[in-house]
Amino acid sequence: MRKRRNKWLPREPSPEATGRVFLIPYSGCGASMYRNWPRQYEGVDLLPVELPGHETRLSEPNFETYQELAKLMATGLEPYLDLPYAFFGHCGSALAAYEVSSEITRAGLPQPATVYISSQVAPQDGPFGRFLEMDDDELAEELSKLSRELGSEPNPDLISFYVEVLREDVETNKRYVMPDPFRLDCPVTTIGWTEDVEIRHDTMGGWTACGETAFKLLPGKHHRFIDAPPELLSVLSAGLGDRD
């Protein structure tokens, strides 16, 4: 009997990988937003995660809180926590990366080697960001821009549909109020971008309250990560790949 595909992962992890990085999609998007990324880097699997209520899982209800998502994701990915691994999230999805790492710690599961936080303020400093104040027309324009940056001309019907998903994700972000965040046992690495006008790297210092924190500053604008720049892949694979 063929093994049933894990709905959280569009592709099966490689048995030869030395480590895994789980890539959580940007607000309003699904796993396909990482289509410009390689499958592996220096022996480390780069694994886009598909979220409930997004893309191939549209028939499922979207999550209302990052804590709800974290419980579901921790259970869904548990079979793949047997190698050194990390979570990566950008902007809103960075909060999901932090919350699933927190849930895994509380559940006593194998902890991540690192949680990578790109372009997001610490939980106690939010909710923060201009998306939180946008109406649906403005959100649709942002989705259109993102589609072009991913290399596709936006389809108005698809944009109209996905703006509803993005609206739900934005509302989840608005509800995320954490004045006293859980402190992780695993390290946190924040990633800022030199030309990021959405979340400046100098606003991310609050992550020190969430765990032992290292700060990285990489060249580029807010959406630079979608092109999988080598300097980002090098940061993500550090300590997970075979460097002999």
Side-chain angles (χ1 to χ4, degrees):
M1 181 180 295
R2 192 172 71 175
K3 183 179 178 182
R4 185 179 179 183
R5 183 181 70 83
N6 187 304
K7 63 184 178 180
W8 292 89
L9 299 175
R11 62 173 180 264
E12 187 71 16
S14 168
E16 287 80 36
T18 59
R20 299 176 178 130
V21 181
F22 298 105
L23 309 169
I24 304 177
Y26 193 73
S27 296
C29 301
S32 70
M33 77 166 306
Y34 289 104
R35 59 182 173 267
N36 294 334
W37 284 52
R39 287 176 172 258
Q40 282 195 352
Y41 185 82
E42 296 190 356
V44 176
D45 262 354
L46 302 172
L47 296 166
V49 175
E50 193 68 275
L51 304 181
H54 295 66
E55 286 191 350
T56 61
R57 300 178 66 184
L58 280 171
S59 62
E60 301 176 45
N62 206 339
F63 49 91
E64 294 191 1
T65 68
Y66 293 126
Q67 293 90 337
E68 173 194 343
L69 173 63
K71 289 181 182 294
L72 295 171
M73 195 187 310
T75 299
L77 296 180
E78 183 177 358
Y80 303 103
L81 307 184
D82 56 329
L83 290 181
Y85 73 94
F87 288 104
F88 170 80
H90 179 86
C91 206
S93 65
L95 300 174
Y98 161 75
E99 278 297 333
V100 71
S101 301
S102 301
E103 177 61 27
I104 283 171
T105 299
R106 288 189 289 261
L109 298 173
Q111 293 186 41
T114 308
V115 54
Y116 292 103
I117 302 295
S118 176
S119 292
Q120 182 55 262
V121 299
Q124 71 275 15
D125 295 329
F128 180 85
R130 65 188 182 93
F131 274 40
L132 305 182
E133 307 302 325
M134 288 184 178
D135 61 26
D136 285 359
D137 288 340
E138 291 169 317
L139 291 177
E141 180 58 31
E142 292 297 324
L143 281 177
S144 296
K145 290 178 184 177
L146 181 59
S147 179
R148 293 186 184 97
E149 291 192 46
L150 285 165
S152 300
E153 188 59 29
N155 179 304
D157 291 335
L158 285 177
I159 292 297
S160 178
F161 178 80
Y162 279 109
V163 77
E164 296 180 20
V165 179
L166 177 54
R167 168 58 63 196
E168 290 187 51
D169 288 350
V170 167
E171 294 303 315
T172 294
N173 198 322
K174 286 182 180 180
R175 286 190 287 268
Y176 190 67
V177 178
M178 294 286 288
D180 186 22
F182 179 81
R183 187 170 179 85
L184 297 170
D185 292 335
C186 68
V188 176
T189 298
T190 74
I191 300 168
W193 302 88
T194 55
E195 300 174 65
D196 193 342
V197 297
E198 302 287 347
I199 306 289
R200 299 194 321 273
H201 66 90
D202 59 3
T203 65
M204 298 174 65
W207 284 100
T208 56
C210 302
E212 180 183 342
T213 305
F215 295 89
K216 303 287 185 181
L217 182 61
L218 302 181
K221 297 180 180 180
H222 186 68
H223 289 146
R224 179 72 178 102
F225 79 100
I226 65 177
D227 293 325
E231 56 270 33
L232 174 59
L233 300 185
S234 181
V235 170
L236 298 185
S237 64
L240 300 178
D242 183 0
R243 297 180 181 273
D244 293 339

